Amino acid sequence: MGVVKNAGTIRPFRDEDMDQVADLYEQVNGCPPQTSPQALRQYLQRVFVDNIWRDERFPSLVSEEKIGHINGCLGVVPRPMKFAGREIIAATSHSFAVAPQSRSSMAAISIARRFLAGPQDLSLCQGDEISVRIWELFGGALSQIYSLGWLKPLRPASYALAMLKRRGLTRLVSAPLQLLCSGADIIAPRVASTAFHFPRPALETRDVDVDIALQRLPAMTTAKKLRPCYSRESMEWLLATMQNNPNRGRLRQQMLLREGRVVGWYLYYLRDGVVAEVAQLASEPQ
């Protein structure tokens, strides 16, 4: 049988913990490609310390194995929301990290227990399968509809090559294939027009305007029981934070208009040579 170590002390995150938390995050998750450790630290500083919704009632949490030594952390961001028309506070968790040498301790369990014991009306948690199992231990439920993922190859050959690169295909082999894949992607819409030909929609596009988005958001979410609440300042902060996320890529934001009227928008991250990640799709119900 394995030996379960003591979890240590769970306490609220303090600003002076930032260097240790950034080191821990880099140790556990690594530094994203084409991202400097400094850029990663700046992003974590913005989320942990400079968060526009930061509230001492809903702190991020750290685990101290011994005084002055952090071996686990959980980023917590409180979010004002409405549920069935009633104003609530949701605490969203992210950046769950425990040092590899402390995995046999109860640090992760203790942090999760402390988080869920907070005064928030709703806890929203994200993470991998291990995180899901931890949250389910405390009565959490997996939200199936919000856990769904979808994939649409726009350039099928280049997508296949990108997946092979992720699985270890060397640059020496992939470089000559790139030109071949680009040619195949030009031919694909002609061979399989229903799958890879995308006619331009009869809608105008423009960059996202925060004031218009705030005005139109209620119409986009009218059928939703759980809805986010934004001020101009908080929406600007969130978009700026998304733009500076070193894990994702360049944020593209477009509103869609029909006869001058905004009917929806989309946000996505563009990363050259890899899969682009959709961050948000919004539209009028009809």
Side-chain angles (χ1 to χ4, degrees), residues 113-163:
R113 182 185 289 118
R114 176 71 173 269
F115 167 65
L116 293 173
Q120 63 266 21
D121 301 296
L122 174 67
S123 297
L124 298 174
C125 311
Q126 63 180 10
D128 56 18
E129 292 182 5
I130 295 175
S131 297
V132 169
R133 288 201 295 269
I134 291 173
W135 299 126
E136 288 178 337
L137 281 174
F138 294 98
L142 179 64
S143 178
Q144 298 287 353
I145 190 65
Y146 290 111
S147 301
L148 293 175
W150 56 269
L151 189 68
K152 179 64 176 178
L154 305 180
R155 299 179 178 88
S158 295
Y159 167 70
L161 182 61
M163 292 301 99

Side-chain angles (χ1 to χ4, degrees), residues 4 38 66-67 89 99 104 135 146 172 174 178 198 205 207 217 240:
V4 178
Q38 182 61 28
K66 55 186 178 181
I67 296 177
I89 295 294
S104 61
W135 299 126
Y146 290 111
L172 184 64
S174 64
Q178 187 65 61
F198 307 102
T205 61
D207 292 339
L217 188 62

Side-chain angles (χ1 to χ4, degrees), residues 13-32 35-52 54 60-62 70 72-77 93-97 126 237 240-248:
F13 169 88
R14 297 192 289 257
D15 291 1
E16 57 265 30
D17 297 329
M18 191 66 254
D19 284 343
Q20 281 199 71
V21 166
D23 288 340
L24 177 63
Y25 187 89
E26 190 173 349
Q27 178 188 3
V28 173
N29 300 294
C31 198
T35 299
S36 68
Q38 182 61 28
L40 178 62
R41 285 170 181 262
Q42 289 174 351
Y43 179 75
L44 292 173
Q45 169 83 16
R46 184 173 179 86
V47 174
F48 275 81
V49 179
D50 303 327
N51 193 294
I52 195 168
R54 188 175 180 183
S60 294
L61 301 169
V62 299
I70 293 173
C73 71
L74 176 66
V76 178
V77 177
S93 72
H94 67 100
S95 303
F96 205 164
Q126 63 180 10
W237 179 89
T241 301
M242 293 173 70
Q243 286 174 335
N244 290 288
N245 188 331
N247 296 331
R248 298 290 187 259

